[in-house]
Amino acid sequence: MTELFADSVDLMVVGMGTVFAFLGLLIVVTSLMSKFIITFVPEAEAPKTFAPSAKIATTASSAANDQQLIAVISEAIKQHRNKPKK
């Protein structure tokens, strides 16, 4: 039993060491890649945004759409609550 326990501890240490080494390598490679990109790749320009020339929806149609949306959501909630539970 003692030999089996010792083998399991050895295997655990090797596994944890492997994971630790891989994560350390991942951190180093990610840091080097970040420094490389900052050094050699220029920063992209922000895209230009344009203001809309006219309103897309009028206030009256927007209010009607809001009321319709509220009605649809309310009906969906009511149907969900009335659904039989398993």
Side-chain angles (χ1 to χ4, degrees), residues 4 12 16 19 21 24 28 31 49 52 54 58-59 61-62 67-68 71 74-75 82:
L4 185 62
M12 180 186 69
M16 290 176 72
V19 169
V28 169
S31 298
T49 57
T58 62
T59 308
S61 65
S62 177
Q67 292 298 325
Q68 183 181 10
S74 299
E75 185 63 28
N82 292 335

Side-chain angles (χ1 to χ4, degrees), residues 25-42:
L25 180 67
L26 186 66
I27 290 170
V28 169
V29 169
T30 304
S31 298
L32 290 174
M33 185 174 55
S34 175
K35 289 179 183 177
F36 174 79
I37 289 174
I38 288 172
T39 304
F40 294 109
V41 178

